[in-house]
Amino acid sequence: MFTLKAMNRRRFALLFVALLLTGLCRAQQPPAEAGAVRKSVWNGFERLDFQVDGRACLLILPKTPAPGRPWIWRTEFFGHEPQADIALVAQGFHAAYMDVQNMYGAPVAIAHMEKFHAHLKAEFQLSARPVLEGFSRGGLFALNWAVAHPDLVSSLYLDAPVCDFKSWPAGWGKGKHSPGDWAGCRKIYGLESDDAARAFKGNPIDQCEALAKAKIPMLAVCGEADEVVPLAENFALIKERCEKLGWPVTLISKPGVGHHPHSLRDPAPIVAFVLKHTAK
């Protein structure tokens, strides 16, 4: 017998399925198609989503662009701990991101990034010298871009950055081993074996002479108790080696803090550093 109670259960079940499907559709919303620009709002600012070189990209527009049209380029994890980005957009910076995830700062990633940089210069008249912002593994992208294009960097803001893939994801020191990431990292760099990876001399920690010679201002915010990307195996080596070469860099260390949380609750020191070193 089809009772009212059974009917209500059926209606509830159908409603639940409809809501679930709606949620899945929203979660799986495709990126903007090639040539198309999708507009939305991000923390009160206009957001543009589009593609460059087959990669999903986004750009946050300030209410009023600062002179010289400066921008900050988050290389990974856009939107995570965004307080510095939000503060800089409020100061007239654009904020940008290109999805080159799982490329670990390898040459193929840098090639995609070159196309993105050229696009933002041509289409939005942004400065040729952005601030590169490298969170965690994003440090590989930011630092490798600076080594490849020192004339196209205003400054570097690094946050618990990976500076040596032998520390993470390989985990050959005190860093955390991430098997899936390490397999992907080795593949994208074209390293056929662990022995080849051990012999590789192209990590950021190996490129300090180029960074120091270019005199690129660098700020890093790092947790002293980071067990995933240990400070001693990563940015501490960049700092030590650059300073031996006569180029000081800035480190804000957080006692007792691990890999998370990133950034600073009050981003004022980060914003002040970026503003001081922004290309005019």
Side-chain angles (χ1 to χ4, degrees):
M1 183 176 178
F2 194 68
T3 65
L4 180 60
K5 186 176 181 180
M7 184 184 297
N8 287 337
R9 282 201 302 267
R10 185 168 180 268
R11 285 176 177 170
F12 178 79
L14 289 172
L15 178 61
F16 177 78
V17 170
L19 289 171
L20 179 61
L21 290 174
T22 300
L24 287 173
C25 289
R26 287 176 179 169
Q28 296 173 1
Q29 184 179 12
E33 296 179 0
V37 177
R38 189 172 64 245
K39 296 183 179 181
S40 59
V41 176
W42 181 82
N43 287 291
F45 299 100
E46 186 175 4
R47 168 174 168 162
L48 307 181
D49 283 83
F50 49 93
Q51 286 191 21
V52 174
D53 205 26
R55 310 300 301 181
C57 302
L58 65 86
L59 183 66
I60 309 300
L61 309 183
K63 306 290 187 184
T64 303
R69 300 181 72 83
W71 53 296
I72 184 164
W73 186 351
R74 175 78 75 101
T75 57
E76 268 282 25
F77 309 114
F78 184 84
H80 178 67
E81 297 287 353
Q83 48 267 39
D85 294 340
I86 294 169
L88 285 166
V89 175
Q91 294 264 4
F93 278 63
H94 289 70
Y97 171 74
M98 179 187 223
D99 182 356
V100 282
Q101 286 190 337
N102 302 320
M103 293 186 182
Y104 307 96
V108 64
I110 302 302
H112 285 305
M113 292 168 70
E114 289 167 349
K115 300 287 182 60
F116 184 49
H117 180 274
H119 179 82
L120 294 188
K121 271 189 65 183
E123 295 298 319
F124 297 93
Q125 294 76 51
L126 298 191
S127 168
R129 298 177 60 200
V131 180
L132 270 290
E133 179 182 17
F135 270 47
S136 193
R137 70 184 70 181
L140 291 172
F141 297 92
L143 286 159
N144 285 345
W145 173 272
V147 170
H149 300 291
D151 55 328
L152 301 180
V153 182
S154 177
S155 63
L156 291 171
Y157 158 43
L158 308 167
D159 207 291
V162 177
C163 305
D164 182 3
F165 63 50
K166 299 173 190 178
S167 173
W168 184 96
W172 290 339
K174 294 183 178 180
K176 185 176 181 179
H177 176 53
S178 178
D181 283 301
W182 177 232
C185 181
R186 216 181 70 180
K187 182 178 180 180
I188 200 76
Y189 275 89
L191 300 168
E192 296 183 355
S193 66
D194 279 0
D195 286 341
R198 290 180 189 277
F200 181 75
K201 296 298 182 185
N203 273 290
I205 64 165
D206 305 312
Q207 305 296 327
C208 291
E209 186 172 353
L211 294 169
K213 182 179 179 181
K215 300 186 183 305
I216 297 172
M218 280 185 275
L219 165 68
V221 176
C222 302
E224 292 183 1
D226 192 335
E227 295 181 347
V228 179
V229 183
L231 176 57
E233 295 177 356
N234 290 276
F235 191 77
L237 290 178
I238 298 278
K239 179 176 171 63
E240 176 186 351
R241 293 173 182 180
C242 283
E243 290 182 348
K244 281 184 178 179
L245 292 164
W247 182 240
V249 299
T250 303
L251 170 63
I252 298 176
S253 58
K254 300 183 286 188
V257 176
H259 194 60
H260 294 280
H262 286 287
S263 191
L264 300 172
R265 182 172 296 179
D266 177 1
I270 300 166
V271 172
F273 177 89
V274 168
L275 293 176
K276 178 181 178 180
H277 297 289
T278 294
K280 302 299 183 184

